[in-house]
Amino acid sequence: MRRKHDKSEPKRVFTSETPPAQPKTAAAAIARINPFMYGLLGALGVLVALMLGGIVNQLATVLVYIGVAIFLALGLDPIVAFIERKLPRPAAVAIVVSVVVLAFAGIILAIVPIVVDQIKNLIDNGPQMVKDIQSAAWFKDLNSRFGSTFEDAANGILSFLQDPGNLADIGGGVFAVGAGIAGGFTGVTIVLILTLYFMASLRSIKRVATRFVPAYQRDTFHGLLEDVSGAVGRYVMGQASLALINGVLSLIMLSIIGAPVPALLALVAFIGSMIPLVGTLSASIIISLVCLIDSPVTALIAIGYYLVYMQVEAYILSPRIMNKAVAVPGALVVIAAVAGGALGGILGALVAIPVAASVIIIVQKVVFPTQDQKVVPPGTLSER
């Protein structure tokens, strides 16, 4: 039946004078009142974003120092935890930091005198070295075969070294390099100090980070944070172990074959092995070139040794050490190292693999369990 119209009900009439719906947000109200004000607010937001980007750019060096210090603190934390079984944590931190500082001081004392002596010998004996090369039998043989090209090049080098103005330019370049090295030492000192603070307060930092998470998720977040920090620490220790093996074996080999400055070259091998994928190869090339200056036979022996060592490291040492440190598939190791090197250079390559391991841990313990719990499509009710 059709509902009868009740005359007592007021009749709704919609006219052109009906007020429109009111805006629900302040931004919509401002935009409706004055579009210019809305655009001004957007422009101010862009300016604030640009200002923040400029601040981050200015603080890039400081942020790098902080990141490296945190990375080292996480890497040294397993050693601190091992010593902490018998000593208090402050004593364990002091022991580890003392060993690191003594090692750094020993490296400086080993490098600086050698570098200064080599520069002095190059300045004093540079012209005589060129003359000795010109009088060598192999130089005369090449000169007789290819004409005066080599002789002209040697004369040009000799005249360059004998010009006082060029020596002044070289001195200025050496001074600039020295200033850069001094700046590098300053950066290393800052990183060591920050590492000391982070190692001493690592547990409190983790507790504070956990407080930012809701209480019902803190246990899960704390376990995840421990797993990630443990993965970074194991990776650093594993990579340092490989580098130490390469450095010690290189020192023994270079001392046996009579290579120049074997301690310095062993240090180059140690530092190179800290860089994943290409570090050992790059250090091997540098060492072989230095050995070539001394003798071709010495260089051939060094090349043969490093060819064998890289095979042993790739198929025996690295799988045994790094598989216990971080469980990252080989393809992801290559992708992470290349991407990290492209984004952050050497430091990016160093931290890329532990970052990849951390991402894998997060995916396995957060993403996969969350997806496994989704057994019913969204928007439907499960049947009982």
Side-chain angles (χ1 to χ4, degrees):
M1 295 176 66
R2 181 178 297 178
R3 183 172 175 266
K4 295 182 178 180
H5 178 68
D6 191 357
K7 297 182 179 180
S8 63
E9 293 182 359
K11 193 174 183 180
R12 296 179 181 179
V13 180
F14 295 94
T15 63
S16 59
E17 297 180 355
T18 302
Q22 297 297 323
K24 297 181 179 181
T25 62
I30 294 174
R32 186 167 183 176
I33 296 173
N34 194 344
F36 175 78
M37 185 64 67
Y38 188 75
L40 180 60
L41 291 176
L44 289 177
V46 173
L47 290 177
V48 170
L50 292 176
M51 183 180 66
L52 293 177
I55 293 174
V56 172
N57 188 25
Q58 292 295 326
L59 297 176
T61 304
V62 178
L63 296 177
V64 169
Y65 289 162
I66 295 173
V68 173
I70 294 175
F71 186 73
L72 293 178
L74 292 176
L76 295 174
D77 188 63
I79 302 177
V80 175
F82 178 78
I83 301 176
E84 195 179 1
R85 297 175 183 176
K86 298 182 179 180
L87 296 174
R89 185 172 180 83
V93 172
I95 292 173
V96 173
V97 171
S98 300
V99 172
V100 172
V101 171
L102 290 175
F104 177 68
I107 291 172
I108 293 177
L109 293 176
I111 291 177
V112 172
I114 295 174
V115 173
V116 173
D117 185 63
Q118 294 299 319
I119 293 176
K120 183 176 180 298
N121 290 334
L122 179 63
I123 294 175
D124 295 339
N125 302 324
Q128 184 62 38
M129 290 172 60
V130 176
K131 291 181 180 179
D132 292 340
I133 292 174
Q134 285 181 324
S135 60
W138 61 269
F139 180 84
K140 293 181 179 179
D141 181 63
L142 291 175
N143 191 25
S144 62
R145 291 185 180 183
F146 299 100
S148 60
T149 304
F150 291 96
E151 186 175 1
D152 294 339
N155 290 329
I157 295 174
L158 182 61
S159 60
F160 180 84
L161 293 175
Q162 291 176 343
D163 188 356
N166 293 329
L167 292 178
D169 294 337
I170 294 175
V174 171
F175 178 77
V177 172
I181 294 174
F185 287 156
T186 303
V188 171
T189 304
I190 295 174
V191 169
L192 288 176
I193 295 173
L194 291 175
T195 303
L196 170 62
Y197 284 115
F198 288 145
M199 287 175 59
S201 59
L202 190 59
R203 292 182 178 175
S204 61
I205 292 174
K206 291 180 180 179
R207 285 196 298 267
V208 172
T210 306
R211 293 288 299 276
F212 286 95
V213 179
Y216 63 90
Q217 292 180 340
R218 285 177 184 172
D219 292 337
T220 303
F221 179 79
H222 178 73
L224 185 65
L225 187 62
E226 291 293 335
D227 291 337
V228 170
S229 61
V232 174
R234 291 191 299 270
Y235 168 77
V236 175
M237 294 304 301
Q239 199 69 29
S241 301
L242 289 175
L244 183 62
I245 292 173
N246 189 15
V248 172
L249 294 179
S250 297
L251 178 62
I252 296 173
M253 183 272 300
L254 294 171
S255 300
I256 292 174
I257 66 176
V261 290
L264 181 60
L265 295 181
L267 179 62
V268 172
F270 173 81
I271 296 175
S273 295
M274 293 294 294
I275 304 173
L277 296 181
V278 298
T280 303
L281 177 61
S282 302
S284 303
I285 294 174
I286 294 173
I287 294 172
S288 301
L289 291 175
V290 174
C291 292
L292 181 62
I293 298 175
D294 181 71
S295 171
V297 177
T298 305
L300 289 175
I301 296 174
I303 292 172
Y305 164 78
Y306 281 112
L307 287 176
V308 174
Y309 173 78
M310 284 188 288
Q311 301 301 316
V312 173
E313 181 185 81
Y315 294 102
I316 298 177
L317 297 178
S318 184
R320 292 178 179 272
I321 295 176
M322 298 307 293
N323 284 345
K324 297 179 181 180
V326 287
V328 181
L332 289 182
V333 170
V334 176
I335 295 172
V338 173
L343 293 175
I346 295 177
L347 291 177
L350 283 174
V351 303
I353 296 177
V355 168
S358 302
V359 171
I360 291 176
I361 292 173
I362 294 173
V363 170
Q364 290 177 345
K365 295 198 172 184
V366 176
V367 178
F368 287 168
T370 302
Q371 297 298 323
D372 292 339
Q373 293 176 359
K374 298 178 181 179
V375 294
V376 178
T380 60
L381 297 176
S382 60
E383 296 180 0
R384 293 183 179 181

